[in-house]
Amino acid sequence: MKACPPQSDKSGACPAETHFAFSSPTIDKSLVPRKYLIESFIFDLEFMFSSPVMPTSARIIRRAIQLIAVVAAIVGFLTLVLQTDTGHRSLDAEARRHQAAWVKLERSIPRYEPLPSHVIKGSRGVLLMGTSNTISLVLTTVELLRKTGCKLPVEFAYLPNEVSENDLERLRANDIKPRNYSNAQISSQNWSHEHLRLGVLKPFAVMSSPLQEVLFLDPDVIPLRDPTYLFATNKYREFGALFWPDFPATPRSNPIWRIMKQPYVFEREFETGIMVLDKARVGRPLVLAAHLCENAGYYFRYIWGDKDAFRWAFKVAKIPYYLNPNYLMSVGLLVSEQNPRGNVSLVETDGKLSPPEGAGYCGQNMVQMDFDDKFPMSSTFKPQPLFVHANGIKKNYYDDIPPFQVAQIYTGLPKRATLNSLRRGRYEWIGQFHEQDHCGKLAAQEGLAVSYLENCRFREAVSGNQRKIYVCPKNPYSEGLTRAKNSRLNHPRIGTKGYT
């Protein structure tokens, strides 16, 4: 007995004549796997030509169309498979090519790369790099560096097409030695603007310096104390490489762990605006970092610029380094609808400072702390601000609004604990907030408090007791000059006293 088409009446009897028009439903094909689209297409054809009153010629046509549809589906499916397989093979081939070059380079470099002939043995100094756009920042940084009492020689690494002769004269007039670090390896590269912004040139600037021992500073780093002592610390003598942390830690899910064949460990990423390096001991990772930057088109899909290039190079090279375990502070200002650019004050409630109603925090800069150089670490050690990295205000500066008004820090840590040991602390990116850009803030974390500092002090409740903690006493940076020579940057208001 022939089955009735879907239009049968409720009694189950077939109508005398059946006339119906098939309308294919609208399908978002981007959301449906190709396999099911193909099967649906074949079913539609079968259903369309399944009328019980179909003549023989129509049935022949139906079979022919079905056969053509099946053949077309098979051809399309095979084409899709071949295209996908070719794409995977191409990606795999790219990964294998880079991995082979990496392994070859790694095996060719001795564990302790000898000092190149251009490096002056025993030399020590400060290295900055940049372009015409950063000359004023460089002059400001060096002026503030000198005001701390630092007497180390300073050099500025540049590429000839990125600075003018007038720029070089300004540097020389301020006792800064310009140095052209261009070479054939750099000239042969075709880096994108984004790769250049992410610091692909930094390892080359460090390697080409005649200095053996280097304090590297980004042009927008402001020293709060004389950093010369870092070369005499026990940590530097032991490792020959000092780094400071960035806010994030590389997640376990990042493919870079597998690419670099490294076991996952929780660790903050480097913030390479500040580095102290002895090139006599870290030549191998410097070469590897340069290789990662040279191949930024591949590796920068998984890592964030030069800061990660240095970190992964040290890991793969198995050269030990010291990463300051003390978490950094976020520094910025408060903005509101009435004051979209800043200059909003914190309010004190129950002994605690917080943003007033309708205002929010925009962190644009970082304060890096010093570290406990004793062994074992002292339970009474209080980290003190050492550098301000003003990395968020280069394009967000207003003459009537000082950039360092408010700071955020995590408080409430157990004794001898750090955010690293607790695996806590997270930076939340905001982006634009009212008329300020490049904003972020410390994210709330269970068991930790986010405290605010303003006007060199803040209050917090500890075990029910209020205490006032002074962060910057009177000093040249908080009470002295209000404008740095040759620059639009104000002096920081974060000083040198410990905050816990």
Side-chain angles (χ1 to χ4, degrees):
M1 182 176 178
K2 185 176 291 187
C4 295
Q7 287 80 0
S8 300
D9 61 21
K10 294 181 180 179
S11 65
C14 297
E17 291 186 24
T18 303
H19 299 284
F20 64 92
F22 176 77
S23 177
S24 178
T26 301
I27 300 175
D28 185 352
K29 297 184 178 182
S30 66
L31 302 178
V32 183
R34 288 178 181 257
K35 173 185 175 184
Y36 298 108
L37 288 176
I38 293 168
E39 291 176 350
S40 176
F41 174 60
I42 294 173
F43 172 78
D44 291 348
L45 287 173
E46 290 177 342
F47 184 66
M48 189 183 302
F49 289 97
S50 63
S51 171
V53 291
M54 182 179 292
T56 303
S57 59
R59 287 197 297 271
I60 294 173
I61 294 174
R62 182 191 69 181
R63 297 300 181 188
I65 293 176
Q66 286 177 335
L67 180 61
I68 293 172
V70 171
V71 172
I74 292 173
V75 171
F77 178 74
L78 291 175
T79 301
L80 175 65
V81 170
L82 289 172
Q83 287 177 343
T84 304
D85 186 56
T86 301
H88 283 310
R89 286 204 307 268
S90 176
L91 288 175
D92 290 343
E94 181 184 22
R96 286 196 299 269
R97 185 172 66 254
H98 282 286
Q99 192 171 57
W102 175 260
V103 171
K104 182 179 179 181
L105 176 65
E106 185 187 353
R107 290 175 177 174
S108 68
I109 311 171
R111 179 170 176 80
Y112 292 104
E113 178 81 350
L115 276 176
S117 58
H118 70 274
V119 176
I120 303 171
K121 190 173 182 180
S123 58
R124 178 184 292 174
V126 180
L127 170 63
L128 298 97
M129 62 182 296
T131 67
S132 283
N133 294 332
T134 58
I135 292 297
S136 291
L137 288 171
V138 169
L139 295 174
T140 299
T141 293
V142 174
E143 179 185 359
L144 294 173
L145 182 70
R146 297 296 184 219
K147 288 184 180 297
T148 68
C150 179
K151 301 184 183 303
L152 292 172
V154 180
E155 69 168 12
F156 176 79
Y158 70 92
L159 296 178
N161 62 325
E162 295 184 340
V163 296
S164 66
E165 187 56 39
N166 180 60
D167 294 330
L168 301 180
E169 287 302 319
R170 291 177 67 192
L171 293 169
R172 295 185 186 103
N174 285 272
D175 200 23
I176 303 170
K177 183 178 180 180
R179 178 177 56 81
N180 176 3
Y181 71 101
S182 178
N183 57 33
Q185 187 178 10
I186 293 174
S187 301
S188 65
Q189 298 300 313
N190 189 28
W191 287 302
S192 68
H193 174 76
E194 180 66 7
H195 292 156
L196 292 169
R197 187 185 72 82
L198 290 174
V200 290
L201 291 166
K202 192 175 290 186
F204 299 96
V206 173
M207 293 170 64
S208 63
S209 172
L211 298 170
Q212 175 187 327
E213 298 181 273
V214 176
L215 166 60
F216 181 92
L217 298 177
D218 273 356
D220 52 359
V221 169
I222 301 170
L224 301 177
R225 286 181 283 146
D226 184 356
T228 307
Y229 82 95
L230 293 169
F231 290 104
T233 59
N234 295 321
K235 297 293 191 295
Y236 177 75
R237 290 170 178 163
E238 179 181 356
F239 295 97
L242 304 180
F243 293 98
W244 278 258
D246 203 344
F247 290 110
T250 305
R252 187 192 298 268
S253 59
N254 192 321
I256 193 64
W257 296 102
R258 175 177 52 82
I259 293 171
M260 294 297 179
K261 298 181 178 179
Q262 295 294 308
Y264 172 77
V265 292
F266 180 88
E267 182 185 59
R268 303 291 173 189
E269 296 171 0
F270 288 2
E271 196 278 283
T272 51
I274 308 153
M275 299 183 289
V276 184
L277 302 170
D278 180 358
K279 287 157 50 177
R281 292 188 277 172
V282 300
R284 178 179 169 87
L286 287 179
V287 174
L288 293 176
H291 175 84
L292 293 176
C293 289
E294 191 175 4
N295 295 275
Y298 174 72
Y299 289 108
F300 280 22
R301 301 174 195 173
Y302 312 104
I303 65 176
W304 188 256
D306 71 272
K307 73 187 192 77
D308 279 344
F310 279 102
R311 177 168 170 250
W312 288 105
F314 269 85
K315 282 186 170 297
V316 172
K318 294 181 175 57
I319 298 296
Y321 55 86
Y322 182 74
L323 177 61
N324 187 352
N326 296 312
Y327 202 63
L328 56 166
M329 289 196 294
S330 172
V331 182
L333 34 74
L334 298 179
V335 296
S336 66
E337 188 174 348
Q338 293 75 25
N339 296 278
R341 295 183 178 182
N343 281 346
V344 179
S345 295
L346 293 167
V347 296
E348 187 171 347
T349 305
D350 297 328
K352 182 178 180 180
L353 291 173
S354 60
E357 185 177 353
Y361 176 75
C362 170
Q364 299 171 320
N365 317 283
M366 301 182 285
V367 171
Q368 294 287 5
M369 316 302 288
D370 62 5
F371 50 84
D372 187 356
D373 195 42
K374 296 179 181 178
F375 184 83
M377 293 178 63
S378 170
S379 60
T380 61
F381 174 75
K382 297 178 180 180
Q384 300 176 353
L386 186 56
F387 298 100
V388 173
H389 194 165
N391 49 353
I393 65 169
K394 292 187 285 290
K395 296 181 180 180
N396 300 280
Y397 179 83
Y398 301 102
D399 287 327
D400 58 336
I401 299 176
F404 313 116
Q405 297 185 4
V406 179
Q408 273 188 332
I409 60 171
Y410 281 118
T411 55
L413 279 70
K415 276 190 175 183
R416 297 196 178 185
T418 67
L419 291 173
N420 280 340
S421 64
L422 297 174
R423 298 192 175 191
R424 309 298 298 279
R426 184 171 62 86
Y427 192 71
E428 183 179 313
W429 178 252
I430 299 171
Q432 188 169 4
F433 191 37
H434 292 294
E435 292 185 18
Q436 286 288 357
D437 204 352
H438 201 88
C439 297
K441 64 179 181 179
L442 299 185
Q445 295 274 284
E446 184 178 355
L448 295 175
V450 176
S451 298
Y452 289 88
L453 296 82
E454 182 185 52
N455 296 329
C456 311
R457 66 178 176 86
F458 82 106
R459 292 171 181 251
E460 66 172 345
V462 180
S463 302
N465 297 319
Q466 295 180 2
R467 63 177 181 176
K468 184 182 295 185
I469 302 168
Y470 290 89
V471 176
C472 54
K474 293 183 179 181
N475 60 57
Y477 306 105
S478 61
E479 304 292 341
L481 298 174
T482 59
R483 188 80 59 177
K485 185 179 180 182
N486 299 322
S487 172
R488 302 171 64 224
L489 284 177
N490 286 53
H491 286 270
R493 298 201 63 174
I494 304 299
T496 59
K497 283 282 185 179
Y499 65 85
T500 57

